Amino acid sequence: MSDSENFDPLGSKKNYEAQERKFPRGVVIRLFAYLIAGHVFAAFLYLLFAVAGKG
């Protein structure tokens, strides 16, 4: 018997469920970087307006 005869196109349910819960590593890293960059930018704008408001 060859491997193609035993191939299950739906895969095992356990393997599919485990894979469904995980995010790809690149997405997690990009999301983390965007969150950090967004907060740094927001802090810069806050500081900019706080300093400008005192003048």
Side-chain angles (χ1 to χ4, degrees):
M1 268 198 244
S2 67
D3 289 337
S4 62
E5 292 176 1
N6 296 327
F7 178 69
D8 181 13
L10 298 177
S12 69
K13 191 170 184 176
K14 185 193 320 182
N15 203 8
Y16 176 73
E17 289 173 355
Q19 187 179 15
E20 187 178 328
R21 288 188 206 127
K22 285 188 192 175
F23 284 108
R25 187 174 183 183
V27 173
V28 172
I29 292 172
R30 200 173 313 137
L31 179 64
F32 184 72
Y34 288 159
L35 285 173
I36 296 299
H39 281 88
V40 168
F41 183 67
F44 171 73
L45 286 179
Y46 177 79
L47 181 66
L48 190 69
F49 279 95
V51 169
K54 292 188 183 219

